[in-house]
Amino acid sequence: MPNPKLSNQPSLDDIVEFGNTLHRSGCPPYKVEKFTQHYARQQGMPSMVQALPTSINYQFPEDNNKVIMKRLEPASIDLSLLAQTIGRLERSDSEISQTPFHYPKWAVALANLSIPPAYLLLIGSTLEAIGFATILGLLVWGCQQVLTGRRTIAVEFIAALLTGICVAGISSLGYPIPVYALCIAAVVLFVPGLSIANALECLAFNDLVSGTSLLGQSMLTLIKLFIGIFMGLHIGETMWGVSDYLTYTNDVPTWMHIAGLPVISLAIGIIFNARPKDMLLGFPVAILGMWGPYYLGFGSGWIVGTWLTTVIITLYGTWMAKRMHLTGSIYILQGIIILVPGSRVLVSASQSVFEQPILPIPSIGLSALFMFAAIMAGQITAYSIYSPKIER
């Protein structure tokens, strides 16, 4: 007679692998719990799941309360893997291609090079700075290739440090560049926009442990970037000599400003390995994330505009996820990353220390705090109106 415990083991392994894959691909912890519990019920093995940013605990009441604890690395973002994994809820394993989707290395490298100039196109800068931003993008990409494995913990700091030294050298040659804006543009890829968005989403749904952990990780990343830029600029000034720094100026024509949005949206999709059709379906929220807070306030200010923009982005992502049988995070990503003010906090810290107007935005640090609150309120409002399918 077969041992029932042994016969259940393949199902347990499958459920654990499902939850671990969701976590690894960047799914918010509270959604990892819901999706995994739903998948376990489908497998006839009801479970209780507790997911945190660096661990998952599985408990199976019908298998003598067996507990499986997994310690995991902090999640990276892989949207195609996330879509493929969630697709297992709707289709059997035999119907799903197990071949992972990845963009070629040259496309990822090109995306890394294009983000810094695209960011400057969006916020406004000098044309010379936009040209140098592409070269700095190559520098940052090189840092990512060299600092791998256990050394990845230092990639943000080293990239920011080298960026500061190089930008100080460029400035010493007399080129008209806004130094601090160029530094931030070069490392804006590392600004944890999605981590902040996931943290706010977890906090909005009372997952306080995961929310505060993700927010803490995000703040540590921002500190590494800021300290790296600060030290790099001072080292560069010592090496190359002190020069007069250009304050905020904008030579970007309107058509280039508009063109920067699809460029940065496409680059974000490639870096986070989103499928082409998902990038296309998510592009409307990128437009909303960029210009929504300015035009949807209807005379009530940008805080109301941010709240309404977040509501629309979340409703659209949830509706699209229901149609595509996936999760709204895939379609919300592009808009939320552009909307979430991760770079705004970095700009605030630099502006406070260096006493230079990097962007023409008064009280930028306080505005970032209000923007966080408006985004949280928008997500709560949207999910109360139209909850995800998995929660119905």
Side-chain angles (χ1 to χ4, degrees):
M1 181 176 179
N3 189 332
K5 293 184 179 180
L6 294 179
S7 63
N8 288 337
Q9 192 61 43
S11 295
L12 295 181
D13 292 341
D14 186 39
I15 293 167
V16 171
E17 183 270 336
F18 179 87
N20 292 352
T21 305
L22 283 178
H23 180 280
R24 186 172 71 251
S25 56
C27 190
Y30 84 98
K31 284 188 177 179
V32 171
E33 296 175 356
K34 293 181 181 295
F35 282 126
T36 305
Q37 288 169 352
H38 184 69
Y39 184 73
R41 288 194 297 270
Q42 288 183 341
Q43 304 301 309
M45 293 289 295
S47 67
M48 299 174 63
V49 180
Q50 182 186 38
L52 298 172
T54 56
S55 65
I56 305 181
N57 297 331
Y58 306 86
Q59 182 177 2
F60 298 92
E62 296 186 3
D63 191 6
N64 295 323
N65 279 322
K66 185 174 183 178
V67 175
I68 299 175
M69 304 176 66
K70 291 288 185 178
R71 174 68 64 177
L72 304 171
E73 295 291 331
S76 57
I77 309 300
D78 190 332
L79 294 184
S80 67
L81 179 61
L82 179 60
Q84 185 182 64
T85 305
I86 295 175
R88 291 163 59 179
L89 294 171
E90 300 291 335
R91 298 177 294 277
S92 65
D93 288 343
S94 61
E95 297 175 313
I96 301 175
S97 171
Q98 297 299 316
T99 303
F101 173 84
H102 291 291
Y103 288 98
K105 290 185 177 180
W106 64 263
V108 179
L110 189 60
N112 278 267
L113 266 63
S114 63
I115 282 184
Y119 177 78
L120 290 181
L121 287 176
L122 290 178
I123 69 171
S125 183
T126 63
L127 298 180
E128 292 84 355
I130 293 171
F132 284 118
T134 305
I135 300 174
L136 292 173
L138 179 62
L139 172 66
V140 173
W141 168 245
C143 291
Q144 296 178 65
Q145 301 308 300
V146 173
L147 299 173
T148 58
R150 63 181 179 83
R151 293 175 293 183
T152 55
I153 192 173
V155 66
E156 296 94 346
F157 172 73
I158 297 298
L161 180 70
L162 294 177
T163 295
I165 294 173
C166 292
V167 171
I170 295 170
S171 177
S172 69
L173 298 176
Y175 289 101
I177 58 172
V179 169
Y180 309 113
L182 181 55
C183 289
I184 292 172
V187 299
V188 75
L189 169 65
F190 296 125
V191 173
L194 188 60
S195 296
I196 294 175
N198 283 343
L200 295 178
E201 185 175 344
C202 290
L203 291 173
F205 289 93
N206 293 319
D207 187 359
L208 302 181
V209 175
S210 295
T212 52
S213 297
L214 289 171
L215 203 57
Q217 291 175 4
S218 301
M219 293 303 107
L220 287 175
T221 301
L222 290 172
I223 289 172
K224 285 191 287 186
L225 293 175
F226 171 71
I227 293 298
I229 292 174
F230 182 84
M231 292 177 59
L233 286 175
H234 282 277
I235 292 173
E237 289 174 357
T238 302
M239 295 173 58
W240 315 112
V242 179
S243 59
D244 293 332
Y245 290 164
L246 184 69
T247 57
Y248 176 81
T249 184
N250 183 16
D251 296 335
V252 178
T254 303
W255 70 268
M256 290 182 67
H257 177 68
I258 296 173
L261 182 62
V263 172
I264 198 170
S265 180
L266 178 64
I268 287 172
I270 292 175
I271 289 173
F272 292 132
N273 202 35
R275 299 176 301 179
K277 67 176 182 180
D278 292 332
M279 281 195 288
L280 183 62
L281 292 173
F283 184 66
V285 302
I287 298 174
L288 283 169
M290 181 62 198
W291 289 296
Y294 298 98
Y295 296 106
L296 295 180
F298 301 109
S300 300
W302 60 265
I303 296 178
V304 175
T306 299
W307 169 78
L308 185 56
T309 299
T310 305
V311 170
I312 297 173
I313 287 175
T314 307
L315 288 176
Y316 174 84
T318 306
W319 172 75
M320 187 58 66
K322 182 181 179 182
R323 291 178 59 88
M324 302 299 291
H325 304 290
L326 294 172
T327 178
S329 301
I330 295 174
Y331 305 105
I332 292 172
L333 170 78
Q334 297 176 57
I336 289 295
I337 282 187
I338 294 173
L339 182 64
V340 167
S343 59
R344 182 174 292 236
V345 176
L346 196 61
V347 168
S348 172
S350 301
Q351 190 162 316
S352 299
V353 172
F354 298 118
E355 298 181 351
Q356 291 280 349
I358 300 172
L359 293 176
I361 304 174
S363 303
I364 191 170
L366 186 61
S367 69
L369 176 62
F370 283 129
M371 188 172 277
F372 285 146
I375 291 172
M376 285 185 62
Q379 289 181 320
I380 293 172
T381 304
Y383 284 131
S384 66
I385 296 172
Y386 189 65
S387 62
K389 182 179 179 181
I390 195 69
E391 296 178 3
R392 293 178 185 272

mmCIF file of all heavy atoms in Angstrom, residues 305-346:
data_model
loop_
_atom_site.group_PDB
_atom_site.id
_atom_site.type_symbol
_atom_site.label_atom_id
_atom_site.label_comp_id
_atom_site.label_asym_id
_atom_site.label_seq_id
_atom_site.Cartn_x
_atom_site.Cartn_y
_atom_site.Cartn_z
ATOM 1 N N GLY A 305 -4.581 65.455 -8.435
ATOM 2 C CA GLY A 305 -4.253 64.866 -9.729
ATOM 3 C C GLY A 305 -3.514 63.543 -9.586
ATOM 4 O O GLY A 305 -3.768 62.594 -10.326
ATOM 5 N N THR A 306 -2.590 63.459 -8.615
ATOM 6 C CA THR A 306 -1.867 62.212 -8.375
ATOM 7 C C THR A 306 -2.807 61.124 -7.881
ATOM 8 O O THR A 306 -2.728 59.966 -8.302
ATOM 9 C CB THR A 306 -0.743 62.438 -7.347
ATOM 10 O OG1 THR A 306 0.174 63.409 -7.859
ATOM 11 C CG2 THR A 306 0.001 61.147 -7.051
ATOM 12 N N TRP A 307 -3.702 61.484 -6.971
ATOM 13 C CA TRP A 307 -4.672 60.507 -6.464
ATOM 14 C C TRP A 307 -5.540 59.966 -7.598
ATOM 15 O O TRP A 307 -5.700 58.736 -7.745
ATOM 16 C CB TRP A 307 -5.550 61.163 -5.394
ATOM 17 C CG TRP A 307 -6.737 60.329 -5.008
ATOM 18 C CD1 TRP A 307 -6.749 59.243 -4.170
ATOM 19 C CD2 TRP A 307 -8.082 60.506 -5.459
ATOM 20 N NE1 TRP A 307 -8.022 58.734 -4.072
ATOM 21 C CE2 TRP A 307 -8.851 59.483 -4.851
ATOM 22 C CE3 TRP A 307 -8.702 61.411 -6.304
ATOM 23 C CZ2 TRP A 307 -10.234 59.359 -5.081
ATOM 24 C CZ3 TRP A 307 -10.067 61.298 -6.536
ATOM 25 C CH2 TRP A 307 -10.819 60.286 -5.926
ATOM 26 N N LEU A 308 -6.094 60.859 -8.421
ATOM 27 C CA LEU A 308 -6.965 60.423 -9.501
ATOM 28 C C LEU A 308 -6.183 59.620 -10.542
ATOM 29 O O LEU A 308 -6.685 58.624 -11.081
ATOM 30 C CB LEU A 308 -7.632 61.637 -10.156
ATOM 31 C CG LEU A 308 -8.673 61.337 -11.248
ATOM 32 C CD1 LEU A 308 -9.773 60.431 -10.699
ATOM 33 C CD2 LEU A 308 -9.270 62.637 -11.781
ATOM 34 N N THR A 309 -4.959 60.030 -10.811
ATOM 35 C CA THR A 309 -4.120 59.283 -11.750
ATOM 36 C C THR A 309 -3.876 57.864 -11.250
ATOM 37 O O THR A 309 -3.970 56.894 -12.022
ATOM 38 C CB THR A 309 -2.776 60.001 -11.953
ATOM 39 O OG1 THR A 309 -3.007 61.301 -12.502
ATOM 40 C CG2 THR A 309 -1.877 59.215 -12.894
ATOM 41 N N THR A 310 -3.559 57.725 -9.962
ATOM 42 C CA THR A 310 -3.326 56.399 -9.393
ATOM 43 C C THR A 310 -4.578 55.540 -9.469
ATOM 44 O O THR A 310 -4.503 54.339 -9.774
ATOM 45 C CB THR A 310 -2.869 56.518 -7.928
ATOM 46 O OG1 THR A 310 -1.724 57.362 -7.855
ATOM 47 C CG2 THR A 310 -2.519 55.158 -7.358
ATOM 48 N N VAL A 311 -5.734 56.126 -9.203
ATOM 49 C CA VAL A 311 -6.996 55.389 -9.295
ATOM 50 C C VAL A 311 -7.193 54.852 -10.711
ATOM 51 O O VAL A 311 -7.503 53.666 -10.924
ATOM 52 C CB VAL A 311 -8.191 56.282 -8.885
ATOM 53 C CG1 VAL A 311 -9.517 55.588 -9.205
ATOM 54 C CG2 VAL A 311 -8.124 56.614 -7.406
ATOM 55 N N ILE A 312 -6.999 55.702 -11.707
ATOM 56 C CA ILE A 312 -7.207 55.286 -13.100
ATOM 57 C C ILE A 312 -6.197 54.228 -13.512
ATOM 58 O O ILE A 312 -6.544 53.224 -14.162
ATOM 59 C CB ILE A 312 -7.135 56.506 -14.036
ATOM 60 C CG1 ILE A 312 -8.258 57.495 -13.708
ATOM 61 C CG2 ILE A 312 -7.234 56.077 -15.496
ATOM 62 C CD1 ILE A 312 -8.171 58.803 -14.472
ATOM 63 N N ILE A 313 -4.923 54.423 -13.151
ATOM 64 C CA ILE A 313 -3.886 53.448 -13.492
ATOM 65 C C ILE A 313 -4.207 52.083 -12.874
ATOM 66 O O ILE A 313 -4.123 51.036 -13.532
ATOM 67 C CB ILE A 313 -2.509 53.941 -13.017
ATOM 68 C CG1 ILE A 313 -2.010 55.085 -13.906
ATOM 69 C CG2 ILE A 313 -1.489 52.797 -13.021
ATOM 70 C CD1 ILE A 313 -0.719 55.711 -13.428
ATOM 71 N N THR A 314 -4.590 52.072 -11.593
ATOM 72 C CA THR A 314 -4.869 50.809 -10.908
ATOM 73 C C THR A 314 -6.112 50.139 -11.462
ATOM 74 O O THR A 314 -6.138 48.910 -11.649
ATOM 75 C CB THR A 314 -5.023 51.054 -9.399
ATOM 76 O OG1 THR A 314 -3.883 51.769 -8.909
ATOM 77 C CG2 THR A 314 -5.136 49.744 -8.653
ATOM 78 N N LEU A 315 -7.154 50.916 -11.742
ATOM 79 C CA LEU A 315 -8.365 50.341 -12.341
ATOM 80 C C LEU A 315 -8.066 49.747 -13.714
ATOM 81 O O LEU A 315 -8.529 48.647 -14.044
ATOM 82 C CB LEU A 315 -9.454 51.412 -12.457
ATOM 83 C CG LEU A 315 -10.130 51.860 -11.157
ATOM 84 C CD1 LEU A 315 -11.106 52.993 -11.428
ATOM 85 C CD2 LEU A 315 -10.850 50.685 -10.499
ATOM 86 N N TYR A 316 -7.289 50.468 -14.511
ATOM 87 C CA TYR A 316 -6.942 49.961 -15.839
ATOM 88 C C TYR A 316 -6.127 48.672 -15.728
ATOM 89 O O TYR A 316 -6.398 47.685 -16.433
ATOM 90 C CB TYR A 316 -6.146 51.015 -16.609
ATOM 91 C CG TYR A 316 -5.620 50.518 -17.945
ATOM 92 C CD1 TYR A 316 -6.425 50.541 -19.080
ATOM 93 C CD2 TYR A 316 -4.324 50.021 -18.062
ATOM 94 C CE1 TYR A 316 -5.950 50.076 -20.298
ATOM 95 C CE2 TYR A 316 -3.834 49.561 -19.278
ATOM 96 C CZ TYR A 316 -4.649 49.592 -20.390
ATOM 97 O OH TYR A 316 -4.179 49.122 -21.602
ATOM 98 N N GLY A 317 -5.122 48.658 -14.847
ATOM 99 C CA GLY A 317 -4.295 47.468 -14.690
ATOM 100 C C GLY A 317 -5.092 46.276 -14.201
ATOM 101 O O GLY A 317 -4.906 45.145 -14.677
ATOM 102 N N THR A 318 -6.009 46.492 -13.251
ATOM 103 C CA THR A 318 -6.834 45.404 -12.732
ATOM 104 C C THR A 318 -7.785 44.875 -13.793
ATOM 105 O O THR A 318 -7.981 43.661 -13.938
ATOM 106 C CB THR A 318 -7.620 45.885 -11.502
ATOM 107 O OG1 THR A 318 -6.715 46.438 -10.545
ATOM 108 C CG2 THR A 318 -8.379 44.731 -10.863
ATOM 109 N N TRP A 319 -8.399 45.796 -14.558
ATOM 110 C CA TRP A 319 -9.311 45.389 -15.638
ATOM 111 C C TRP A 319 -8.567 44.613 -16.715
ATOM 112 O O TRP A 319 -9.028 43.563 -17.183
ATOM 113 C CB TRP A 319 -9.966 46.631 -16.233
ATOM 114 C CG TRP A 319 -10.781 46.360 -17.468
ATOM 115 C CD1 TRP A 319 -12.017 45.782 -17.524
ATOM 116 C CD2 TRP A 319 -10.404 46.658 -18.815
ATOM 117 N NE1 TRP A 319 -12.433 45.699 -18.829
ATOM 118 C CE2 TRP A 319 -11.477 46.229 -19.648
ATOM 119 C CE3 TRP A 319 -9.293 47.249 -19.405
ATOM 120 C CZ2 TRP A 319 -11.437 46.375 -21.034
ATOM 121 C CZ3 TRP A 319 -9.252 47.390 -20.783
ATOM 122 C CH2 TRP A 319 -10.315 46.956 -21.586
ATOM 123 N N MET A 320 -7.387 45.094 -17.104
ATOM 124 C CA MET A 320 -6.609 44.407 -18.126
ATOM 125 C C MET A 320 -6.130 43.050 -17.627
ATOM 126 O O MET A 320 -6.105 42.063 -18.381
ATOM 127 C CB MET A 320 -5.420 45.273 -18.536
ATOM 128 C CG MET A 320 -4.629 44.715 -19.722
ATOM 129 S SD MET A 320 -5.636 44.468 -21.208
ATOM 130 C CE MET A 320 -6.044 46.195 -21.583
ATOM 131 N N ALA A 321 -5.770 42.969 -16.349
ATOM 132 C CA ALA A 321 -5.331 41.691 -15.787
ATOM 133 C C ALA A 321 -6.451 40.663 -15.810
ATOM 134 O O ALA A 321 -6.218 39.474 -16.071
ATOM 135 C CB ALA A 321 -4.837 41.898 -14.354
ATOM 136 N N LYS A 322 -7.678 41.103 -15.555
ATOM 137 C CA LYS A 322 -8.806 40.177 -15.604
ATOM 138 C C LYS A 322 -9.018 39.651 -17.023
ATOM 139 O O LYS A 322 -9.280 38.460 -17.225
ATOM 140 C CB LYS A 322 -10.068 40.876 -15.101
ATOM 141 C CG LYS A 322 -11.292 39.965 -15.081
ATOM 142 C CD LYS A 322 -12.521 40.703 -14.599
ATOM 143 C CE LYS A 322 -13.739 39.765 -14.623
ATOM 144 N NZ LYS A 322 -14.979 40.470 -14.206
ATOM 145 N N ARG A 323 -8.868 40.511 -18.006
ATOM 146 C CA ARG A 323 -9.045 40.088 -19.399
ATOM 147 C C ARG A 323 -7.929 39.136 -19.841
ATOM 148 O O ARG A 323 -8.174 38.199 -20.613
ATOM 149 C CB ARG A 323 -9.075 41.304 -20.326
ATOM 150 C CG ARG A 323 -10.314 42.178 -20.183
ATOM 151 C CD ARG A 323 -10.237 43.389 -21.104
ATOM 152 N NE ARG A 323 -10.115 42.975 -22.494
ATOM 153 C CZ ARG A 323 -11.135 42.722 -23.309
ATOM 154 N NH1 ARG A 323 -12.378 42.822 -22.839
ATOM 155 N NH2 ARG A 323 -10.940 42.369 -24.557
ATOM 156 N N MET A 324 -6.714 39.376 -19.348
ATOM 157 C CA MET A 324 -5.567 38.565 -19.767
ATOM 158 C C MET A 324 -5.272 37.426 -18.786
ATOM 159 O O MET A 324 -4.325 36.670 -18.993
ATOM 160 C CB MET A 324 -4.324 39.460 -19.874
ATOM 161 C CG MET A 324 -4.474 40.628 -20.836
ATOM 162 S SD MET A 324 -4.785 40.116 -22.533
ATOM 163 C CE MET A 324 -3.209 39.376 -22.947
ATOM 164 N N HIS A 325 -6.073 37.303 -17.701
ATOM 165 C CA HIS A 325 -5.908 36.256 -16.692
ATOM 166 C C HIS A 325 -4.527 36.321 -16.037
ATOM 167 O O HIS A 325 -3.864 35.299 -15.839
ATOM 168 C CB HIS A 325 -6.135 34.871 -17.310
ATOM 169 C CG HIS A 325 -7.462 34.716 -17.994
ATOM 170 N ND1 HIS A 325 -8.651 34.668 -17.302
ATOM 171 C CD2 HIS A 325 -7.776 34.631 -19.314
ATOM 172 C CE1 HIS A 325 -9.654 34.542 -18.153
ATOM 173 N NE2 HIS A 325 -9.151 34.526 -19.380
ATOM 174 N N LEU A 326 -4.101 37.539 -15.714
ATOM 175 C CA LEU A 326 -2.807 37.748 -15.074
ATOM 176 C C LEU A 326 -3.000 38.645 -13.860
ATOM 177 O O LEU A 326 -4.100 38.736 -13.326
ATOM 178 C CB LEU A 326 -1.819 38.351 -16.080
ATOM 179 C CG LEU A 326 -1.427 37.436 -17.256
ATOM 180 C CD1 LEU A 326 -0.597 38.192 -18.279
ATOM 181 C CD2 LEU A 326 -0.679 36.206 -16.761
ATOM 182 N N THR A 327 -1.939 39.318 -13.428
ATOM 183 C CA THR A 327 -2.023 40.230 -12.293
ATOM 184 C C THR A 327 -1.824 41.667 -12.763
ATOM 185 O O THR A 327 -1.085 41.922 -13.724
ATOM 186 C CB THR A 327 -0.965 39.890 -11.222
ATOM 187 O OG1 THR A 327 -1.055 40.829 -10.154
ATOM 188 C CG2 THR A 327 0.440 39.934 -11.800
ATOM 189 N N GLY A 328 -2.482 42.587 -12.082
ATOM 190 C CA GLY A 328 -2.434 43.980 -12.501
ATOM 191 C C GLY A 328 -1.061 44.599 -12.433
ATOM 192 O O GLY A 328 -0.791 45.592 -13.118
ATOM 193 N N SER A 329 -0.151 44.047 -11.622
ATOM 194 C CA SER A 329 1.191 44.609 -11.504
ATOM 195 C C SER A 329 1.891 44.693 -12.852
ATOM 196 O O SER A 329 2.681 45.605 -13.099
ATOM 197 C CB SER A 329 2.036 43.763 -10.536
ATOM 198 O OG SER A 329 1.442 43.713 -9.266
ATOM 199 N N ILE A 330 1.611 43.740 -13.733
ATOM 200 C CA ILE A 330 2.263 43.704 -15.039
ATOM 201 C C ILE A 330 1.885 44.918 -15.874
ATOM 202 O O ILE A 330 2.717 45.469 -16.604
ATOM 203 C CB ILE A 330 1.904 42.401 -15.772
ATOM 204 C CG1 ILE A 330 2.476 41.199 -15.002
ATOM 205 C CG2 ILE A 330 2.410 42.405 -17.217
ATOM 206 C CD1 ILE A 330 2.058 39.860 -15.550
ATOM 207 N N TYR A 331 0.643 45.364 -15.756
ATOM 208 C CA TYR A 331 0.159 46.469 -16.587
ATOM 209 C C TYR A 331 0.228 47.817 -15.871
ATOM 210 O O TYR A 331 0.107 48.859 -16.501
ATOM 211 C CB TYR A 331 -1.276 46.171 -17.044
ATOM 212 C CG TYR A 331 -1.368 44.849 -17.749
ATOM 213 C CD1 TYR A 331 -1.919 43.744 -17.122
ATOM 214 C CD2 TYR A 331 -0.826 44.692 -19.024
ATOM 215 C CE1 TYR A 331 -1.964 42.514 -17.757
ATOM 216 C CE2 TYR A 331 -0.862 43.467 -19.667
ATOM 217 C CZ TYR A 331 -1.428 42.383 -19.030
ATOM 218 O OH TYR A 331 -1.452 41.159 -19.660
ATOM 219 N N ILE A 332 0.414 47.781 -14.558
ATOM 220 C CA ILE A 332 0.540 49.014 -13.783
ATOM 221 C C ILE A 332 1.986 49.503 -13.763
ATOM 222 O O ILE A 332 2.258 50.685 -13.580
ATOM 223 C CB ILE A 332 0.016 48.779 -12.347
ATOM 224 C CG1 ILE A 332 -1.493 48.551 -12.359
ATOM 225 C CG2 ILE A 332 0.359 49.936 -11.423
ATOM 226 C CD1 ILE A 332 -2.054 48.118 -11.016
ATOM 227 N N LEU A 333 2.928 48.570 -13.987
ATOM 228 C CA LEU A 333 4.351 48.829 -13.789
ATOM 229 C C LEU A 333 4.834 50.128 -14.413
ATOM 230 O O LEU A 333 5.413 50.981 -13.745
ATOM 231 C CB LEU A 333 5.161 47.653 -14.340
ATOM 232 C CG LEU A 333 6.665 47.881 -14.430
ATOM 233 C CD1 LEU A 333 7.288 47.732 -13.051
ATOM 234 C CD2 LEU A 333 7.331 46.926 -15.402
ATOM 235 N N GLN A 334 4.610 50.299 -15.723
ATOM 236 C CA GLN A 334 5.196 51.442 -16.427
ATOM 237 C C GLN A 334 4.694 52.766 -15.863
ATOM 238 O O GLN A 334 5.464 53.718 -15.695
ATOM 239 C CB GLN A 334 4.872 51.347 -17.920
ATOM 240 C CG GLN A 334 5.470 50.124 -18.595
ATOM 241 C CD GLN A 334 5.046 50.009 -20.052
ATOM 242 O OE1 GLN A 334 5.264 50.903 -20.848
ATOM 243 N NE2 GLN A 334 4.420 48.891 -20.387
ATOM 244 N N GLY A 335 3.407 52.834 -15.553
ATOM 245 C CA GLY A 335 2.853 54.072 -15.024
ATOM 246 C C GLY A 335 3.294 54.356 -13.610
ATOM 247 O O GLY A 335 3.630 55.494 -13.263
ATOM 248 N N ILE A 336 3.327 53.323 -12.773
ATOM 249 C CA ILE A 336 3.670 53.520 -11.367
ATOM 250 C C ILE A 336 5.138 53.902 -11.213
ATOM 251 O O ILE A 336 5.497 54.749 -10.391
ATOM 252 C CB ILE A 336 3.337 52.264 -10.548
ATOM 253 C CG1 ILE A 336 1.816 52.107 -10.422
ATOM 254 C CG2 ILE A 336 3.968 52.319 -9.178
ATOM 255 C CD1 ILE A 336 1.136 53.204 -9.631
ATOM 256 N N ILE A 337 6.028 53.286 -12.003
ATOM 257 C CA ILE A 337 7.445 53.623 -11.894
ATOM 258 C C ILE A 337 7.679 55.083 -12.252
ATOM 259 O O ILE A 337 8.476 55.782 -11.617
ATOM 260 C CB ILE A 337 8.288 52.693 -12.792
ATOM 261 C CG1 ILE A 337 8.459 51.350 -12.112
ATOM 262 C CG2 ILE A 337 9.655 53.294 -13.087
ATOM 263 C CD1 ILE A 337 9.402 50.413 -12.808
ATOM 264 N N ILE A 338 6.987 55.557 -13.287
ATOM 265 C CA ILE A 338 7.122 56.963 -13.678
ATOM 266 C C ILE A 338 6.448 57.872 -12.651
ATOM 267 O O ILE A 338 6.937 58.969 -12.348
ATOM 268 C CB ILE A 338 6.528 57.183 -15.079
ATOM 269 C CG1 ILE A 338 7.367 56.422 -16.121
ATOM 270 C CG2 ILE A 338 6.462 58.661 -15.435
ATOM 271 C CD1 ILE A 338 6.782 56.434 -17.516
ATOM 272 N N LEU A 339 5.355 57.397 -12.056
ATOM 273 C CA LEU A 339 4.598 58.210 -11.106
ATOM 274 C C LEU A 339 5.240 58.236 -9.727
ATOM 275 O O LEU A 339 5.321 59.286 -9.084
ATOM 276 C CB LEU A 339 3.166 57.677 -10.996
ATOM 277 C CG LEU A 339 2.192 58.425 -10.083
ATOM 278 C CD1 LEU A 339 1.948 59.834 -10.605
ATOM 279 C CD2 LEU A 339 0.879 57.661 -9.976
ATOM 280 N N VAL A 340 5.694 57.074 -9.242
ATOM 281 C CA VAL A 340 6.266 56.996 -7.896
ATOM 282 C C VAL A 340 7.497 57.888 -7.812
ATOM 283 O O VAL A 340 8.395 57.785 -8.643
ATOM 284 C CB VAL A 340 6.631 55.542 -7.546
ATOM 285 C CG1 VAL A 340 7.517 55.487 -6.308
ATOM 286 C CG2 VAL A 340 5.375 54.730 -7.299
ATOM 287 N N PRO A 341 7.571 58.747 -6.824
ATOM 288 C CA PRO A 341 8.627 59.774 -6.797
ATOM 289 C C PRO A 341 9.923 59.304 -6.172
ATOM 290 O O PRO A 341 10.476 59.953 -5.294
ATOM 291 C CB PRO A 341 7.978 60.879 -5.957
ATOM 292 C CG PRO A 341 7.109 60.123 -4.993
ATOM 293 C CD PRO A 341 6.612 58.916 -5.736
ATOM 294 N N GLY A 342 10.446 58.150 -6.595
ATOM 295 C CA GLY A 342 11.733 57.711 -6.060
ATOM 296 C C GLY A 342 12.838 58.679 -6.416
ATOM 297 O O GLY A 342 13.635 59.087 -5.566
ATOM 298 N N SER A 343 12.896 59.083 -7.687
ATOM 299 C CA SER A 343 13.924 60.045 -8.084
ATOM 300 C C SER A 343 13.662 61.412 -7.460
ATOM 301 O O SER A 343 14.591 62.189 -7.238
ATOM 302 C CB SER A 343 13.958 60.167 -9.607
ATOM 303 O OG SER A 343 12.710 60.588 -10.116
ATOM 304 N N ARG A 344 12.410 61.702 -7.153
ATOM 305 C CA ARG A 344 12.080 62.976 -6.510
ATOM 306 C C ARG A 344 12.707 63.075 -5.120
ATOM 307 O O ARG A 344 13.197 64.126 -4.713
ATOM 308 C CB ARG A 344 10.557 63.122 -6.421
ATOM 309 C CG ARG A 344 10.089 64.422 -5.830
ATOM 310 C CD ARG A 344 8.579 64.546 -5.922
ATOM 311 N NE ARG A 344 8.151 64.694 -7.289
ATOM 312 C CZ ARG A 344 7.406 65.716 -7.734
ATOM 313 N NH1 ARG A 344 7.039 66.667 -6.903
ATOM 314 N NH2 ARG A 344 7.039 65.785 -8.991
ATOM 315 N N VAL A 345 12.718 61.955 -4.389
ATOM 316 C CA VAL A 345 13.365 61.954 -3.075
ATOM 317 C C VAL A 345 14.860 62.176 -3.232
ATOM 318 O O VAL A 345 15.487 62.913 -2.468
ATOM 319 C CB VAL A 345 13.085 60.616 -2.349
ATOM 320 C CG1 VAL A 345 13.838 60.561 -1.034
ATOM 321 C CG2 VAL A 345 11.594 60.450 -2.106
ATOM 322 N N LEU A 346 15.478 61.529 -4.235
ATOM 323 C CA LEU A 346 16.903 61.702 -4.478
ATOM 324 C C LEU A 346 17.211 63.143 -4.859
ATOM 325 O O LEU A 346 18.189 63.729 -4.411
ATOM 326 C CB LEU A 346 17.351 60.744 -5.587
ATOM 327 C CG LEU A 346 18.858 60.504 -5.738
ATOM 328 C CD1 LEU A 346 19.434 59.908 -4.473
ATOM 329 C CD2 LEU A 346 19.125 59.604 -6.931
#
